[in-house]
């Protein structure tokens, strides 16, 4: 384990910040370098090396990799779905240039292994809505989805053509309480908990019956570590794996919250994010991940609700 030297790019973001801490726990603080274009929270900054770096700056990333003798890169920097619709070209260059930088460094044997997250956004309105299979019609119609689908094609291409050891998961909406997400369509499922504790009510930007695939952060981190630790021959798909834990609507989540906070009220005022959500699957078939590298989730909607409310209360993070 200890021969690994890890770089997390996008380490101040929602997944990146908790992933960095998890990897530091597993591999040692000195073996996990965090980087982002902005500083992260206290725990992240104080527990190990942090470097300011722009994921789209190839020379900057390359010198970080050389200086720290990095073996594995977790590329977590990306612009999420809702923000990407507002600044499409910027989203495209961030999401694609950052990936090409890392794929090319691996092709040139400067690093050994890459983790790159894809998303349920690779699917589109013509994909089967329920239990969306691994392989099916895709046709994403958001900038974010198009960038993730394109990224998947390139990951597979670099594996087939150059033997690049890249591993990827199609994340559903990731729910956590420590670091806020930014600009996603699934963000309501985090805001709702904070508002429930702070105000006792929440206005959802998605309609009552919009089902989306979701996952608690602990499961997302476990999947990331598991796929990266799996022996190479178990990773049969080098594009990206479907991954699933639970699926719910804002109404389902509100009912679950009410079991603990009976006075909680929810209102609905869908905005432009509704259209994005409507183009995505309601639930995902992740048999391939379960079969190939033993994926298993732990958190369902009940456990998630308990963990979110307890976590936010303990950390006093309702804002
Ligand atoms: N959480 C992401 C988003 O909403 C989906 O990958 O954009």
């Amino acid at each position: 384990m200890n021969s690994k030297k890890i770089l997390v790019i996008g380490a101040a973001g929602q997944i990146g910040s908790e992933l960095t801490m998890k990897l530091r726990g597993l591999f040692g603080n000195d073996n996990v370098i965090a980087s982002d274009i902005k500083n992260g929270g206290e725990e992240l900054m104080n527990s190990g090396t942090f470097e300011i770096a722009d994921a789209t700056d190839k020379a900057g990333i390359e010198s970080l990799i050389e200086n720290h003798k990095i073996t594995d890169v977790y590329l977590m920097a990306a612009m999420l779905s809702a923000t990407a619709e507002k600044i499409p070209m910027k989203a495209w260059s961030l999401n694609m240039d950052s990936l090409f930088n890392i794929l090319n460094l691996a092709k040139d044997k400067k690093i050994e292994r890459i983790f790159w997250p894809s998303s349920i956004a690779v699917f589109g309105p013509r994909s089967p809505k329920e239990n969306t299979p691994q392989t099916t019609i895709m046709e994403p119609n958001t900038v974010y989805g198009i960038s993730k689908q394109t990224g998947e094609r390139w990951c597979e291409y670099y594996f087939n053509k150059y033997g690049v050891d890249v591993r990827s998961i199609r994340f559903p909406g990731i729910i956590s309480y420590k670091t806020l997400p930014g600009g996603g369509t699934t963000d309501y499922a985090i805001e709702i908990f904070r508002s429930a504790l702070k105000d006792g009510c929440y206005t959802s930007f998605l309609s009552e019956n919009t089902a989306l695939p979701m996952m608690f952060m602990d499961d997302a981190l476990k999947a990331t570590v598991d796929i990266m630790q799996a022996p190479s021959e178990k990773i049969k798909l080098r594009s990206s794996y479907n991954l699933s834990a639970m699926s719910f609507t804002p109404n389902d989540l509100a009912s679950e919250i009410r079991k603990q906070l009976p006075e909680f009220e929810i209102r609905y005022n869908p905005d432009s994010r509704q259209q994005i959500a409507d183009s995505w699957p309601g639930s995902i078939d992740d048999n391939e991940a379960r079969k190939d590298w033993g994926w298993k989730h732990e958190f369902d909607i009940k456990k998630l609700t308990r963990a979110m409310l307890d976590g936010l209360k303990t950390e006093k993070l309702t804002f």
Side-chain angles (χ1 to χ4, degrees), residues 251-269:
N251 183 39
D252 296 333
L253 190 53
S255 311
E256 200 55 48
I257 292 173
R258 242 176 254 125
K259 290 183 188 162
Q260 293 194 51
L261 303 169
E263 310 288 296
F264 175 63
E265 277 176 36
I266 184 159
R267 292 182 203 102
Y268 299 94
N269 186 16

Side-chain angles (χ1 to χ4, degrees), residues 14 80-82 118-121 144 171-174 183-187 280:
Q14 186 207 4
L80 293 187
S81 57
S118 184
S119 161
I120 52 164
Y144 177 67
F171 277 137
I174 305 299
T185 301
T186 55
D187 296 3
W280 288 355

Side-chain angles (χ1 to χ4, degrees), residues 82-123:
T83 314
E85 290 307 297
K86 295 188 188 125
I87 34 177
M89 289 302 115
K90 196 148 186 249
W92 183 256
S93 53
L94 170 60
N95 294 359
M96 299 313 300
D97 292 352
S98 60
L99 177 59
F100 276 122
N101 288 345
I102 296 305
L103 287 173
N104 283 323
L105 287 165
K107 174 186 161 209
D108 295 342
K109 310 271 179 257
K110 308 228 157 133
I111 47 176
E112 292 166 12
R113 193 169 288 180
I114 301 169
F115 178 79
W116 174 78
S118 184
S119 161
I120 52 164
V122 293
F123 297 109

